[in-house]
Structure formats: C-alpha cells, structure tokens
Amino acid sequence: MLPRISCRILILVVIAVLSPVLIHAGDGRDAGPSKGALGNIIAMYQKHISVVDGDRCSMVPSCSEYASQAVDKHGILMGCIMACDRLLRCGGDDTNTAEILYRNSRKYFLDPVEANDFWWVSRNHANQ
Amino acid sequence: MNRLCQIILGCIIICILQVPPRPYAADLIINSDMQYDYAMACFESHDFSTAVVEFKRFVYFFPEDDRHYSARFLVGVSLFSLDRLAEAAEVFQRMSSLPGDNPLALEAHIMLGKLYLKQGESALAEAQLRNVLMLTRDPAIQDRVYAALGWIYLEKSQALESGALKSAKSWFGKISPDSQKLFSKSDILDTIHHMENFKDKNPILAGIAGIVPGGGFAYTGRIHDAVVAFFVNTALILASCRSFETDNPILGSIVGIVASGFYSGSIYGGISSAYKYNSAQRRQVIETLKQAVPVAGPDSEPWGRSHGLLLSLRFPF
C-alpha cells in the first residue's frame, strides 16, 4: 500500500500529463507537432500558470517557449536537457553577451535555441 | 439700386479683364538620356523603389539604347537593395546568361552570390562565386571574388566550423599584390593569424568540470550561472536522497528525474558555454575588423553615362 502523499503526487502527475481537455478547452487548437505528454505539460503551464504568474522571463523566447521549441527541434531527451540548461541560465551571465531587444518598453535578452545548439547541429549537418 | 448693380458688374468685368493670361506651356518630350539620367539620379539618391520603375520605363521605351543592359542590371541592384530578393534573383539570373564578353554577365554572377549570402545560403553563394572564377581571367574581378570567398569563410569561423579559418586564409592569400591594399589583405591575414592563436576554452574540459554541478560554467567564467547550477542541483539531489530515506520512493523518483534533468542540463550548459565563449571571441574580432577595413574597392568602369557606377562588394552585406 503506497503512502497517502505518494498517491496524491501520483494522481497529480497523471492529471497533468493526460489532461488535453484542460489545455485545449475552447480554443480548437491542435496539440502541435510535438511532444505528447511533455507538450501538454508545457502548454498547460503556459495557459494556466504563466497567465496567473505573469510574464517574468527576461529572455526571448521565454523559457517555456524555448523548451517547446527545443523539444520540437531535437526531441524529448535533448529538448528537456536544453530546457533545464535554459532554466539554470535564465537571467544570468547570458545577459552580458546576448543581444538586447525592447518590447513594450521592457528590456529582453535574445537567446534562441539556435544560439545554444549551433556547435553540434552544424557538425551533424556536415557529417550527413 | 439698379445703378449700383451696374457699377458692381462693371468692376467685376474690369477685374476679369486685368487677370494676365496663363503663359503657354510647351510640350515636354523625354528622350532616352533624360529618362536614364532621371532613373540614375533616383538610384544614386537611394530612392530605389522609384529607380526600379524608372529604369523599367527606360527599358520599355528605349529597347534599342546601348544602356539597355545596364538599366536592366540596375533594376536588379535596386531590387536587391529593397530586399526584394526573389525578383532581383530573376533579373540577375537572366543577365548571367548573357554572352560571356558582356561584363554585366560576370557582375550578375557576383550579385547572385551576394544575394544568396543575404538569404543565408552561403554554400550557393560560394558556388556562384567559384563560377565567376571559372568564367574570367581578369585579375581585378578574381581578386574581388577571392576577397568575397575569404569573408564568407571568416563568417563561417564564427560558427566554429572546422577548417574555416584556414580556408579564409587561403582565399585572402590569393589576392594579387595590385589589389592588396584595396582589400586590406595584410590586415586581414594578421587578424586571421591572431585568431588562430586564440586561447580557446576546451569544451571537453568544460564537460568534465561539469561533473561537479556548475563546474562547466565556472570554467568559462560564468560565475552567476555556476552558483545557480550548483545550488539547484545540490538541492534537488539532496531532496531526492532525503525522500528515499524517509520512505517516499515515488517522490524520490520524481525529484530524482528532475534532478537528473538539471544535472544533464548543467553539463550541457557548461560545454555549450565553452563553444559560445570561443565563438564570441571570434565574432568580436571579426566585427572590429569589419569596422577597420574599408569597403572593398569601387568598380570604376563607366556604365551608361560618364560617371561610374558603384558596384562594390561591400562587407558586411
């Protein structure tokens, strides 16, 4: 018999992963080219949590959008690794070197997926 | 009252008669010189959208004029300047198939190279420029192409493409002594030599250092990122261990999965930051070089009228 708290956590994870109704209610959008469960988690965060929490990411694209693009481009495993890397770097030393954008009088730092995978993507293309 | 009306009417008639007649305006006949001059004036004042229209008008109304081809070429250059690249490509592709003795055919090839570069297709640009080398033995044009190819490889070296610096050095080295000063060959070769001796950060070492959370970031001088990576990874690993110790295997597993993601991310970030450091070093040097090196020489052959047409190969594009 599992401890009660572990059961609750497990139920929460299941709801988060398998809840397309919560994510796409009323908007008629497709789930996108990705990523199944992971895409659902990111989309649910963007739709329900980020809206309440507010747009606080100082980088462009935002961390959730970056994660989504990374997973789309490189698959779930590399996408997750790149997303975790981005979460660690967000608002850190990259702000000293990244290109600055201004949107709605607010300063953002440009950090696309291409700026973080150029060193192995180009080599893969060269080898192919 | 009647008398008053008559006086007013009389005054009005006198005023009308006093208005001087409009001078007779002569008809304006535009000849080919006037049309071409106007189009060229628009081009030289960078009013490229008007220049496109006026050069096309010249081509339409004066198809037998000697400047027909140069007008068509300048339509292409104007379209290129307006970023209407698909239309410009069409113009240059048609012009590149002109007979080989027409100098505009070679210029069209060069412009196609610039166009492909602007579209980010450096391989196509390189192929186009190599075609020019096969089509001409004119050293002035060859030197322009050598310089263009050298710059393409210099730009590639920013992305840390292997062999790019060596290729850039090779192309710049082929520039003839006559054009050495024009293309700042010695300054560029000195810069390439300086770049070859850069103290790069080793990505493998960054990866090994990343075994300690944040070590890879610290190796490349990113202290903020290193501290964040260290604390986040340490907290997650400790949380996972603690969960297992307190008989919460599911929680421990979930936190463990998250911790492994962040741990992998910190190693990846360390390696990536080493590559980014090396790329940024090269980018800075190349940007400084672009500021220092003048435009790679105007083409002073006269096109059309007596004044020359600037068909320089500008870097950056």
Side-chain angles (χ1 to χ4, degrees), chain A residues 18-122:
Chain A
L18 300 176
S19 58
V21 175
L22 277 176
I23 296 153
H24 301 299
D27 60 9
R29 274 187 306 149
D30 290 333
S34 29
K35 336 141 209 167
L38 188 56
N40 287 345
I41 294 172
I42 296 171
M44 192 174 74
Y45 168 82
Q46 288 177 326
K47 196 173 167 63
H48 297 285
I49 299 174
S50 183
V51 171
V52 175
D53 185 39
D55 175 22
R56 293 197 289 164
C57 190
S58 61
M59 296 180 118
V60 168
S62 66
C63 291
S64 57
E65 187 56 34
Y66 181 98
S68 183
Q69 289 175 9
V71 171
D72 271 341
K73 192 174 176 187
H74 298 301
I76 288 180
L77 180 61
M78 277 313 297
C80 284
I81 290 172
M82 290 183 71
C84 291
D85 164 49
R86 172 52 122 74
L87 287 170
L88 291 172
R89 287 187 295 107
C90 188
D93 287 310
D94 269 325
T95 57
N96 297 333
T97 51
E99 194 182 320
I100 295 172
L101 291 177
Y102 285 95
R103 251 192 217 170
N104 300 327
S105 312
R106 197 180 143 189
K107 196 175 176 184
Y108 292 93
F109 301 95
L110 188 63
D111 182 44
V113 171
E114 291 72 33
N116 297 286
D117 66 5
F118 67 93
W119 50 275
W120 59 278
V121 168
S122 59

Side-chain angles (χ1 to χ4, degrees), chain B residues 114-135:
Chain B
K114 290 173 72 173
L115 193 144
Y116 290 136
L117 262 183
K118 211 170 183 182
Q119 290 177 322
E121 303 280 354
S122 61
L124 283 174
E126 192 181 332
Q128 202 65 42
L129 290 167
R130 283 176 188 263
N131 281 347
V132 175
L133 287 177
M134 288 195 292
L135 291 170

Side-chain angles (χ1 to χ4, degrees), chain A residues 2-3 5-7 9-10 13 66 78 80-85 87-94 97 111 115-120 122-123, chain B residues 158-160 217 221-226 228-229 232-233 247-251 254 258 261-262 264-266 268-272 275-276 279:
Chain A
L2 290 173
I5 187 135
S6 299
C7 287
I9 291 166
L10 196 57
V13 168
Y66 181 98
M78 277 313 297
C80 284
I81 290 172
M82 290 183 71
C84 291
D85 164 49
L87 287 170
L88 291 172
R89 287 187 295 107
C90 188
D93 287 310
D94 269 325
T97 51
D111 182 44
N116 297 286
D117 66 5
F118 67 93
W119 50 275
W120 59 278
S122 59
R123 279 157 214 266
Chain B
Q158 283 187 53
L160 306 175
F217 288 121
R222 293 176 168 231
I223 304 304
H224 180 280
D225 293 347
V228 168
V232 168
N233 280 291
D247 289 327
N248 279 318
I250 293 178
L251 179 63
I254 293 168
V258 174
F262 276 97
S264 309
S266 75
Y268 177 91
I271 298 171
S272 178
Y275 281 109
K276 286 199 275 193
S279 175

Side-chain angles (χ1 to χ4, degrees), chain B residues 144-266:
Chain B
R144 284 172 64 190
V145 173
Y146 293 147
L149 287 166
W151 275 103
I152 287 173
Y153 278 99
L154 257 187
E155 296 282 350
K156 281 186 181 182
S157 73
Q158 283 187 53
L160 306 175
E161 201 169 300
S162 69
L165 264 186
K166 196 173 165 189
S167 299
K169 192 174 177 182
S170 160
W171 285 116
F172 280 116
K174 288 181 179 172
I175 294 173
S176 66
D178 293 338
S179 306
Q180 210 161 281
K181 200 172 173 189
L182 196 63
F183 296 104
S184 306
K185 175 179 167 181
S186 54
D187 288 341
I188 292 172
L189 287 174
D190 286 343
T191 304
I192 291 175
H193 178 70
H194 173 59
M195 285 166 75
E196 282 172 336
N197 294 325
F198 271 162
K199 283 189 183 147
D200 283 346
K201 295 290 181 186
N202 189 334
I204 297 173
L205 272 181
I208 294 169
I211 291 173
V212 174
F217 288 121
Y219 170 67
T220 54
R222 293 176 168 231
I223 304 304
H224 180 280
D225 293 347
V227 167
V228 168
F230 179 79
F231 281 114
V232 168
N233 280 291
T234 307
L236 286 169
I237 291 167
L238 286 175
S240 178
C241 292
R242 185 82 177 129
S243 298
F244 281 112
E245 281 170 11
T246 53
D247 289 327
N248 279 318
I250 293 178
L251 179 63
S253 304
I254 293 168
V255 175
I257 290 169
V258 174
S260 61
F262 276 97
Y263 185 70
S264 309
S266 75

